[in-house]
């Protein structure tokens, strides 16, 4: 997540700032170079960067909506080892995501995959040309699910009073959010 947030450049994002600021120690990224970026879009709901260290294969690091990333994962990293991910594990991860969302956490999933040299070249071309979406689809596959990041973003103090006052003045409120429905319900319940 740190590598992705450090090297992504598409737009300023408070979650990226939290990832970078929340690291227990500054990550040692000396020697890492950004090769390409597949910017976030609202269809994929993912953002990927391709990074590389000298004499190492390029590494695709993807983060985004848990359901989007988990659907593209064929392996899971656990206890410093990688194992295949089956349907039972996909179901367990979905339950985990739903439980955390139901508690009001915003979640970001992280996955990765080593790339072949030709794939790295395609990723570099994708960020320049119009082939971005097809390149993203061909690269953001067979991911290793690395984990979930949970973010707490409680409502601002006094927002319930403000909404009540608007109601007394005849103003009705509608909520439009890009958040997970369970997160939105939790926050609305808190308010």
């Amino acid at each position: 997540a740190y590598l992705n947030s450090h090297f992504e450049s598409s737009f300023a994002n408070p979650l990226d700032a939290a990832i970078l600021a929340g690291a227990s120690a500054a990550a040692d990224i000396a020697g890492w170079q950004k090769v390409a970026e597949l910017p976030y879009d609202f269809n994929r709901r993912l953002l990927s960067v391709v990074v590389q260290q000298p004499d190492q294969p390029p590494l695709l690091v993807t983060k985004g909506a848990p359901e989007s990333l988990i659907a593209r994962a064929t392996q899971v990293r656990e206890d410093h080892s990688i194992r295949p991910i089956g349907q039972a594990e996909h179901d367990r991860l979905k339950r985990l995501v739903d439980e955390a969302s139901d508690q009001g956490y915003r979640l970001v999933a992280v996955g990765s995959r080593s790339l072949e040299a030709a794939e790295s070249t395609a990723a570099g071309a994708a960020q320049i040309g119009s082939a971005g979406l097809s390149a993203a689809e061909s690269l953001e596959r067979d991911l290793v699910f690395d984990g979930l990041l949970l973010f707490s973003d409680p409502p601002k103090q006094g927002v319930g009073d403000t909404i009540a006052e608007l109601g007394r003045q005849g103003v009705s409120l509608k909520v439009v959010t890009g958040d997970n429905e369970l997160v939105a319900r939790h926050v609305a319940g808190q308010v």
Side-chain angles (χ1 to χ4, degrees):
Y2 192 95
L3 283 170
N4 182 292
S5 293
H6 177 79
F7 285 109
E8 79 92 6
S9 60
S10 53
F11 63 91
N13 179 328
L15 294 179
D16 287 318
I19 290 168
L20 296 173
S24 57
D28 180 9
I29 57 170
W32 286 97
Q33 276 193 318
K34 179 178 173 179
V35 175
E37 180 172 343
L38 300 169
Y40 183 88
D41 76 54
F42 292 96
N43 292 318
R44 291 179 8 258
R45 300 183 324 142
L46 299 169
L47 181 145
S48 293
V49 295
V50 177
V51 293
Q52 189 169 16
Q53 286 185 302
D55 302 322
Q56 295 293 316
L59 178 68
L60 176 81
V61 181
T62 303
K63 75 176 185 320
E67 53 277 9
S68 295
L69 193 136
I70 291 168
R72 291 167 172 80
T74 57
Q75 301 173 82
V76 62
R77 186 181 317 276
E78 188 171 45
D79 296 328
H80 304 290
S81 64
I82 297 173
R83 61 178 170 76
I85 185 171
Q87 188 58 48
E89 184 78 7
H90 276 277
D91 294 344
R92 183 181 77 81
L93 290 171
K94 182 183 179 340
R95 283 192 307 276
L96 231 152
V97 167
D98 287 348
E99 288 169 8
S101 297
D102 199 37
Q103 295 172 25
Y105 290 103
R106 295 179 68 193
L107 283 81
V108 173
V110 181
S112 60
R113 178 169 83 83
S114 292
L115 300 180
E116 301 295 325
E119 290 178 305
S120 178
T121 302
Q127 67 181 358
I128 298 166
S130 62
L133 186 58
S134 63
E137 290 171 354
S138 70
L139 293 171
E140 294 169 340
R141 61 171 174 77
D142 300 327
L143 295 174
V144 175
F145 176 78
D146 291 313
L148 292 169
L149 304 170
L150 281 70
F151 297 88
S152 177
D153 189 13
K156 302 270 189 278
Q157 192 75 3
V159 72
D161 296 335
T162 301
I163 292 170
E165 179 59 30
L166 288 170
R168 286 189 290 277
Q169 294 180 23
V171 176
S172 63
L173 179 68
K174 303 289 182 204
V175 176
V176 178
T177 180
D179 276 336
N180 174 306
E181 179 183 347
L182 297 172
V183 174
R185 286 178 191 261
H186 178 84
V187 171
Q190 284 183 315
V191 169

